[in-house]
Amino acid sequence: YGKCAKDCDPTGGPPCSNPQHHTFFDQIFETSDECCQALGWIDLDLCVMTSQSGGGEGSLEPSNTYYADYLSGSCLKDCEPGPFGCAIAPPPIALYNTIKECCDFGQSWVDSKYCNSRSNGEYSNGWVIDSDYGKCAKDCDPTGGPPCSNPQHHTFFDQIFETSDECCQALGWIDLDLCVMTSQSGGGEGSLEPSNTYYADYLSGSCLKDCESGPLG
């Protein structure tokens, strides 16, 4: 159960160890706090609370704090299921007072904008790289249409940029103005009007103009 039990008569009920403690070489601590500190991978406050109540899985009231949900890249609230983001925290697990703390420390490898927005049931409204089309897509509700990412952005470790310009700068091999224009329009291959600018044609060793087919070049 990821907690400590008291070495006392089991007939007295919790928090006494049941069955009776009989492993004579295990260290016995003076307090539940000292014992829980030895379980360094478990949230200290949760361990002490569980230990002093004598509880195990499912025996405690929800703490209304937050814990990392690794499958979704977000944080859930330790509360009775029903409202958005509520789930009973499975002990042992680290708990955090706020979503921000949970995202910063419990989901440190997840983009912070992704974690904080998804934990609140929202989108970040930032911009992510769409490498398929050499542009950026907005992290917003796909049902709103372009320039929102469709399908929905769900790669939670990808960086989310504040603006399409910042995102396009990360695509350094693509013309910045063209990338921003394509991104803000929500366009993909074949979805934009020609830009009347030039691009390299490696097979011919020349440059071609981005314009309607017909005129030379």
Side-chain angles (χ1 to χ4, degrees):
Y1 291 118
K3 66 181 185 74
C4 294
K6 194 169 186 179
D7 181 32
C8 51
D9 187 351
T11 61
C16 295
S17 177
N18 190 1
Q20 174 182 319
H21 171 64
H22 56 77
T23 312
F24 47 78
F25 47 81
D26 282 350
Q27 182 175 357
I28 297 177
F29 298 87
E30 285 291 329
T31 66
S32 58
D33 190 279
E34 289 179 6
C35 179
C36 284
Q37 287 182 41
L39 294 168
W41 60 95
I42 296 171
D43 180 81
L44 179 61
D45 292 337
L46 178 62
C47 176
V48 171
M49 183 170 60
T50 310
S51 302
Q52 291 181 348
S53 72
E57 185 174 355
S59 63
L60 285 179
E61 290 296 313
S63 65
N64 290 315
T65 54
Y66 297 89
Y67 67 95
D69 177 38
Y70 302 116
L71 290 179
S72 68
S74 65
C75 291
L76 299 178
K77 192 171 187 179
D78 178 29
C79 50
E80 292 292 343
F84 171 81
C86 275
I88 300 298
I93 198 167
L95 295 172
Y96 303 89
N97 290 323
T98 66
I99 287 175
K100 185 178 186 305
E101 287 181 5
C102 179
C103 288
D104 287 349
F105 300 105
Q107 299 275 38
S108 58
W109 55 89
V110 176
D111 182 271
S112 62
K113 291 183 180 65
Y114 186 97
C115 181
N116 280 277
S117 62
R118 296 312 192 269
S119 299
N120 284 295
E122 300 169 350
Y123 295 88
S124 69
N125 290 314
W127 295 81
V128 293
I129 292 174
D130 180 357
S131 55
D132 288 340
Y133 290 116
K135 67 180 185 75
C136 293
K138 196 169 187 180
D139 178 37
C140 49
D141 188 349
T143 60
C148 296
S149 176
N150 192 0
Q152 173 182 314
H153 170 62
H154 56 77
T155 312
F156 44 76
F157 47 80
D158 282 352
Q159 183 175 358
I160 298 177
F161 298 87
E162 284 290 334
T163 66
S164 57
D165 189 278
E166 290 179 5
C167 181
C168 283
Q169 287 181 41
L171 293 167
W173 60 94
I174 296 172
D175 180 80
L176 179 60
D177 292 337
L178 179 61
C179 175
V180 171
M181 183 171 61
T182 311
S183 301
Q184 291 183 348
S185 73
E189 185 177 351
S191 62
L192 284 179
E193 291 297 314
S195 64
N196 291 314
T197 54
Y198 295 86
Y199 64 94
D201 178 36
Y202 301 113
L203 291 179
S204 68
S206 64
C207 290
L208 299 178
K209 193 172 185 177
D210 177 30
C211 54
E212 295 294 345
S213 300
L216 173 67

